Amino acid sequence: MLALRLARSTHPLVLMRRLLVAAASAGVGFLLLCALGYASGHPAHSAAAVLRLLWCFVPLAATVQFAVAVARTDPSTRPRSGLSAVGLGPVRLTVLAAVSTAVSCTLGSMVALLLFLHLRGNLSGLPFDGAAAGLLDADAPLPLAAVLVLLALAPVAAATACGLALRARPVSATVPDDVPEDRPPASATPPTGLPWGVALIAAGLAVEAYLSRDDGRSLLPLPGRFDATPAGVLAGWTLTAIGLAMAGPGLAYLCGRLLQAVRPGAVRLLAGRALMGEARRIGGPLGVVCAVLSAVIAAYALYGTGPRPFGPLTALGAVLVLGCTSATLLTSALEAKQNRTRTARALLRLGAPASVLWAATALRAAALLVVFAPLTWLVAELAALPLTA
């Protein structure tokens, strides 16, 4: 009940982010139901049904990541000194954030169920002259238990991930907002995941190259283009994505170090120190975005030249993954900006012009673009090379 009351009185931008989480959960639920419908309508193609279900876990993971990022930036669940006096300490606020996330995702799952049943003609006849009946296997019965389990995946996974992520919230997040902080951002300890990330990227590319020696298209069938059953390339891309996510914080930290090299001025020093402090927060989402973009480039190189290369379910999944990962990156950047508020105010009180802060922000963005854009292109080319050879 408290979560619903907070949702009613929340800021419109925060409410919009929650609605985006619900929309992403609806898309994931719809894809899972489509996979269930395919499995019910094609019992002889069990391997293809399993592969279709495996593809659904990619947008599910992106949705869970986005839900965690939204929960971290929600001001109603941020620990404050006054809330502990009324019994809302960090533990209860974490539970509240998890419940709010579960409510948003459950709403999306219900919308997905209604839309799926409507397109199948189970509610009020076949819409669109039955155009979607074949795609959704409208003639096949749906097991109720399987429907409930699949629709519960997104709420349960998102709520659990939010609880685990907010439980490890740093102590600095509990500092009251009225406490002054007159120091520039200090450099954090360097992330330690860069070597492991590089190793996973190399391992993922090696797995893709080894398993695509004969026919890349038969090893990476997309929804609507099932020609074979192995999913080795999907496993290789998963390793590459995990490696980029692990290497992202280390690369962002190195970007901050490079900005301060060779007699830095005030703008470069401020940009570099801030980027080093934010490396853990924005590096992971930035690495995931690079992995998604590299996969899109490789998939286009493999399928983009043929007639109707992508089916509607593939398009929906790609939109979900691209949208959720991009929104996660923007939300993480917003969280970093919120954490820099006291520092920015202190610098303005000391007489620093506002143009210096804008220049430092632009310099950080340019440094990240210079490092991560070539990395994305390189990974995409290496991933697509054995598939198109």
Side-chain angles (χ1 to χ4, degrees), residues 51 55 208 215-223 225 228 230-235 237 295 298-299 302-303 387:
L51 182 58
W55 270 114
E208 292 181 28
D215 187 3
R217 290 178 175 82
S218 64
L219 285 171
L220 188 59
L222 298 176
R225 293 181 55 89
V233 176
L234 178 60
W237 178 83
L302 183 61
Y303 292 104
L387 298 176

Side-chain angles (χ1 to χ4, degrees), residues 41-90:
H42 302 82
H45 300 81
S46 59
V50 171
L51 182 58
R52 193 177 278 240
L53 182 63
L54 288 177
W55 270 114
C56 294
F57 281 95
V58 178
L60 175 63
T63 300
V64 170
Q65 185 193 25
F66 178 45
V68 171
V70 170
R72 289 177 64 92
T73 56
D74 193 344
S76 62
T77 59
R78 184 170 300 172
R80 297 182 181 88
S81 57
L83 294 179
S84 299
V86 296
L88 290 177

Side-chain angles (χ1 to χ4, degrees), residues 313-354:
L313 298 182
T314 301
L316 176 60
V319 169
L320 281 175
V321 174
L322 285 172
C324 288
T325 52
S326 301
T328 300
L329 179 59
L330 294 177
T331 306
S332 301
L334 177 62
E335 181 186 8
K337 181 181 178 181
Q338 291 175 351
N339 293 336
R340 292 196 309 267
T341 301
R342 293 191 299 270
T343 301
R345 291 175 181 173
L347 292 175
L348 292 176
R349 286 197 303 267
L350 293 175

Side-chain angles (χ1 to χ4, degrees), residues 28-42 45-46 48-57 116 135-137 142 150 223 226 313:
V28 171
F30 186 81
L31 289 177
L32 290 171
L33 291 177
C34 289
L36 177 62
Y38 182 86
S40 300
H42 302 82
H45 300 81
S46 59
V50 171
L51 182 58
R52 193 177 278 240
L53 182 63
L54 288 177
W55 270 114
C56 294
F57 281 95
F116 183 77
L135 179 65
L136 303 181
D137 298 286
L142 293 177
L150 292 179
F226 290 105
L313 298 182

